[in-house]
């Protein structure tokens, strides 16, 4: 099993599904049911299940759009008409959406991905703040110097004259 996203000759969703199942030690249906039952128990699994679902949806849209394009191309003479060209653009957009979602799933699966360490630290800080009682900001009054700044004192003297 390769860690790279396939180049279209392989099933992108299938490869990522295998990686998810290997990481969590259960099938997607089982993992999806576990996340639905208790989404807060494992935030990483919840995110991965959500994005895997979005990936599967975008793959289904891509498959339908490709089928529509192929059917339209079979009826075309040598030149492609505007509606068929629009279908080609929809296929390109569907590929982009599918690949973007695949990248998100890959990022979620990689514990060492850029930005992951900062995200883990932020989650830990949020959890710590959630358990804290009291205000989140300092409540003491700000420090005020005992004497007025020199420019204010000069302005006051000038006004007295």
């Amino acid at each position: 099993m390769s860690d790279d996203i396939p180049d279209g000759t392989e099933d992108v969703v299938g490869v990522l599904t295998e990686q998810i199942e290997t990481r969590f030690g259960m099938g997607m249906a089982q993992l999806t049911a576990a996340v639905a039952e208790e989404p807060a128990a494992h935030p990483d699994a919840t995110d991965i299940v959500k994005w895997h679902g979005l990936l599967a949806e975008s793959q289904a849209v891509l498959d339908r759009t490709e089928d529509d394009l192929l059917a339209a191309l079979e009826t075309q003479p040598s030149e492609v008409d505007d509606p068929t060209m629009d279908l080609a653009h929809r296929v390109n957009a569907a590929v982009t959406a599918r690949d973007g979602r695949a990248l998100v799933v890959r990022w979620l699966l990689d514990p060492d991905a850029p930005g992951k360490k900062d995200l883990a630290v932020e989650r830990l800080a949020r959890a710590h703040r959630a358990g804290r009682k009291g205000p989140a900001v300092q409540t003491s009054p700000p420090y005020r110097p005992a004497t007025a700044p020199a420019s204010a004192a000069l302005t006051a003297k000038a006004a007295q004259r």
Side-chain angles (χ1 to χ4, degrees), residues 35-157:
V35 163
E37 192 173 303
E38 198 151 346
H42 199 295
D44 289 343
T46 302
D47 289 344
I48 287 173
V49 166
K50 172 191 168 189
W51 281 97
H52 181 270
L54 293 171
L55 172 62
E57 286 175 19
S58 62
Q59 182 64 53
V61 168
L62 173 59
D63 291 344
R64 283 191 306 273
T65 308
E66 284 177 332
D67 290 345
D68 293 346
L69 176 61
L70 288 174
L73 286 172
E74 288 175 357
T75 64
Q76 294 292 303
S78 61
E79 286 188 35
V80 176
D81 63 12
D82 287 340
T84 304
M85 189 56 82
D86 288 341
L87 280 173
H89 291 300
R90 285 180 43 211
V91 167
N92 285 337
V95 168
T96 300
R98 190 266 327 263
D99 289 352
R101 290 173 175 180
L103 287 171
V104 171
V105 172
R106 283 284 299 130
W107 184 82
L108 290 168
L109 283 169
D110 183 357
D112 297 321
K116 277 288 189 85
K117 302 297 182 192
D118 296 336
L119 182 62
V121 169
E122 176 59 28
R123 279 186 178 165
L124 185 60
R126 257 189 261 139
H128 175 69
R129 285 191 304 260
R132 178 179 59 208
K133 304 284 190 261
V137 295
Q138 182 179 356
T139 57
S140 61
Y143 171 74
R144 302 262 188 226
T147 59
S151 64
L154 292 176
T155 305
K157 282 184 182 180

